[in-house]
Amino acid sequence: MSAHLLGVVTLIYFSAALLFLVARVFQRPRLDWLARGGLVLGWGGHTGALIYRWLESYQLGIGHAPLSNFYESLVFCSWSLVGVVCLGFWRQTRAYLGALVATLAFLLLAYASLGGVDSRITPLIPALRSNWLEIHVITCFISYAAFALGFGAALLYLIRTRQPRPSKGEADPIPSAGELDHLIYRTIVIGFFMLTLGILTGAVWAEAAWGTYWSWDPKETWSLITWLIYAALLHARLVKGWQGKRIAILAVVGFLAVLFTYFGVSFLLPGLHAYLT
């Protein structure tokens, strides 16, 4: 049942992405509001699907939060991305940024459903039987979601600065450079805070599960690399006064590190986190 509901949500996100683009290209504000409504509707259904999958695990007698394998992480990552937008950056997310968010959410769910990912609900392996599971995974994926939004804003910033200003009376399809720069900063601050919590809770959990706080596992190492990139970004902005293009480029580099930490490490660098695949 939860899989069927997620299939519907996938189509809703796809429709919302299309509506955002059509609204922008053809200058139809009503379609923009319809796209926003679709995003909220999709997130509501997405939330329901997660709750239902949680209940399904209890019906199987192995009840646990739907955060324990690669399929569930993809579903939760998509949910976190839309959730961060709906709850934290609703006003700023419109037009192309809304289309990007809806597209990323759609692609994550489509990959989970159609990419050959094992979607079965299975018992937790011993290392995952911990109260730290929910805290660690939730903080990490909220950070990924915030970084993804910062990445989208950074891309738009780089396009914005290379695009001539529209003539007087013509609608501007991309937010101002100042607005995008501020959005990059806010999303990175939130993402950095949540990633820091994720790394700390993961270290405490690792000590309980494997007897050491840090073992230089590939996932841990790349999480630290990602953290250092965003730390450098915030240092450059707050101490050195960097703004604009250089910060946008660092936000793009940071998100590439996030993608490798999530996908690259899982498939290319086996380690203690190999259960995620």
Side-chain angles (χ1 to χ4, degrees), residues 31-81:
L31 288 183
D32 188 81
W33 281 107
L34 193 59
R36 286 166 167 261
L39 208 57
V40 173
L41 177 65
W43 193 60
H46 205 153
T47 305
L50 282 172
I51 294 172
Y52 198 87
R53 185 175 175 90
W54 200 336
L55 294 176
E56 286 176 326
S57 73
Y58 278 96
Q59 290 169 356
L60 293 173
I62 52 175
H64 57 73
L67 304 167
S68 63
N69 56 36
F70 189 53
Y71 171 84
E72 291 173 345
S73 77
L74 288 169
V75 173
F76 188 74
C77 187
S78 175
W79 179 87
S80 300
L81 177 59

Side-chain angles (χ1 to χ4, degrees), residues 63-202:
H64 57 73
L67 304 167
S68 63
N69 56 36
F70 189 53
Y71 171 84
E72 291 173 345
S73 77
L74 288 169
V75 173
F76 188 74
C77 187
S78 175
W79 179 87
S80 300
L81 177 59
V82 182
V84 165
V85 166
C86 290
L87 299 178
F89 298 95
W90 182 245
R91 190 174 61 83
Q92 294 87 350
T93 305
R94 58 182 184 272
Y96 292 133
L97 194 55
L100 179 65
V101 168
T103 300
L104 286 175
F106 159 73
L107 289 175
L108 286 167
L109 286 186
Y111 177 43
S113 301
L114 306 174
V117 181
D118 187 357
S119 63
R120 291 175 299 172
I121 301 174
T122 55
L124 292 175
I125 63 173
L128 297 182
R129 293 170 189 164
S130 168
N131 292 329
W132 290 105
L133 170 65
E134 291 86 358
I135 300 171
H136 175 63
V137 174
I138 288 172
T139 52
C140 285
F141 279 106
I142 289 177
S143 75
Y144 289 0
F147 291 146
L149 191 56
F151 165 74
L155 286 183
L156 288 180
Y157 181 92
L158 295 174
I159 295 171
R160 164 83 281 175
T161 54
R162 297 178 64 87
Q163 186 183 56
R165 289 185 175 279
S167 57
K168 190 175 182 180
E170 184 181 350
D172 196 342
I174 299 178
S176 69
E179 185 179 351
L180 289 169
D181 183 68
H182 187 55
L183 179 59
I184 295 169
Y185 172 66
R186 291 175 61 195
T187 53
I188 298 305
V189 167
I190 293 173
F192 183 75
F193 176 74
M194 297 306 290
L195 181 61
T196 302
L197 284 181
I199 291 175
L200 290 176
T201 55

Side-chain angles (χ1 to χ4, degrees), residues 19 22-24 26-36:
L19 285 171
V22 172
R24 184 68 270 169
F26 294 100
Q27 298 295 309
R28 295 287 188 272
R30 289 184 179 178
L31 288 183
D32 188 81
W33 281 107
L34 193 59
R36 286 166 167 261

Side-chain angles (χ1 to χ4, degrees), residues 197-252:
L197 284 181
I199 291 175
L200 290 176
T201 55
V204 175
W205 184 12
E207 201 282 329
W210 301 318
T212 176
Y213 288 102
W214 196 266
S215 55
W216 295 106
D217 174 74
K219 183 74 78 176
E220 296 173 351
T221 303
W222 273 93
S223 295
L224 179 60
I225 291 171
T226 301
W227 186 89
L228 289 172
I229 292 172
Y230 284 111
L233 185 156
L234 292 176
H235 175 80
R237 172 144 186 148
L238 297 174
V239 179
K240 301 294 183 181
W242 284 20
Q243 288 188 341
K245 185 177 180 180
R246 290 183 292 186
I247 291 295
I249 291 174
L250 276 177
V252 172

